[in-house]
Amino acid sequence: MKLGVNIDHIAVLREARQVNDPNPLDALPICKLAGADQITIHLREDRRHIRDHDAKNIIAHSSLPINLECAVAPEIIDIVTRLKPHRATIVPEKREEVTTEGGLSVTGKQKSLKKAIEQLQKHEIEVSLFIDPTFESIEAAHSLGVEWIEFHTGKYANIYAMLYSNLGNTPYAIPTLDLPRAELAKMLHDELKTLRCLSGDAAEMGLRVAAGHGLNYQNVQEIVAIEMIEELNIGQSIIARSIYTGLEQAIADMRALLIR
Ligand code: PXP
């Protein structure tokens, strides 16, 4: 299974001080050495972490493929076509959100999405849509002609955290629902079943399947067990661990959990 390491949070730390340190560019050789297969970055419209010069330098200097997450906004798509990453993952963006809270809602956006996807593909950039795990989203992605989909695993991660929070080892989310354990266990089982079934459906339609959001050292293995998911993009948990272990070890630890 492929591992895309999302290095946005290195730029988050830099922006907290508005200085030049740490530079996300310095992470590239470490990610490669530790066994990452891809670097993922998000050039947000508000440029709250990765900035245009970061994206430019990372794409120019990385020996690993770059997966550039972006909104469907025309000015951002124009920038992405000039930057020419290996892949563009179209994600929803809300200015006030702390992180990408859900998958892309395709309904009502078909026209702008189609235009953006065609523009990216014309520049030989493969396209992925970050979607919630629903059949309608896969069908929509398929009809839009993208090569990849990435399932938003936030709901899975949230349920996992609620179920196992009493073990004190689930840093992803603060539990918000006070549900009986049996109910949470069923919700987790159902969400995994949904992810498994939809990954199969997507693969049958010829889509390549990635997943990400909220995955960490505790909850990742159930996702790894879904064979049709080819790749995971993981940021928060790896960068958080790297503070204590160093980036190389944090990536290597995650890499070890991705073995099938
Ligand atoms: N994949 C996509 C499309 C994302 O937008 C993000 C960040 O929200 C991630 C993966 C990584 O999520 P996390 O930082 O929770 O691991």
Side-chain angles (χ1 to χ4, degrees), residues 56-153:
K56 191 168 172 231
N57 288 333
I58 288 168
I59 290 165
H61 292 105
S62 176
S63 57
L64 293 173
I66 302 297
N67 172 28
L68 182 56
E69 298 173 7
C70 60
V72 74
E75 49 296 357
I76 290 283
I77 298 295
D78 283 347
I79 294 172
V80 176
T81 55
R82 284 198 296 277
L83 288 170
K84 257 184 165 287
H86 186 76
R87 188 188 312 164
T89 297
I90 302 180
V91 303
E93 250 181 56
K94 290 192 228 134
R95 275 185 192 274
E96 66 281 9
E97 70 189 355
V98 176
T99 180
T100 315
E101 287 162 355
L104 200 64
S105 156
V106 179
T107 331
K109 288 206 197 73
Q110 257 103 341
K111 218 167 143 205
S112 55
L113 277 169
K114 184 91 194 145
K115 188 162 174 257
I117 292 163
E118 282 174 359
Q119 193 183 339
L120 292 163
Q121 289 174 335
K122 208 157 62 187
H123 285 81
E124 290 166 13
I125 300 166
E126 62 179 29
V127 183
S128 179
L129 295 186
F130 192 38
I131 57 174
D132 286 323
T134 67
F135 190 71
E136 298 71 46
S137 300
I138 302 173
E139 274 190 319
H142 180 244
S143 72
L144 284 164
V146 294
E147 291 87 353
W148 284 83
I149 54 164
E150 179 171 340
F151 283 130
H152 191 293
T153 48

Side-chain angles (χ1 to χ4, degrees), residues 6 9 42 69 89 91 99-100 130 150 172 212-215 233-237:
N6 183 318
H9 288 303
H42 186 175
E69 298 173 7
T89 297
V91 303
T99 180
T100 315
F130 192 38
E150 179 171 340
Y172 176 59
H213 199 94
L215 298 178
N233 289 297
I234 306 180
Q236 172 79 29
S237 59

Side-chain angles (χ1 to χ4, degrees), residues 150-166:
E150 179 171 340
F151 283 130
H152 191 293
T153 48
K155 183 175 172 196
Y156 161 75
N158 266 327
I159 301 169
Y160 192 101
M162 286 188 278
L163 182 58
Y164 295 113
S165 59
N166 59 331

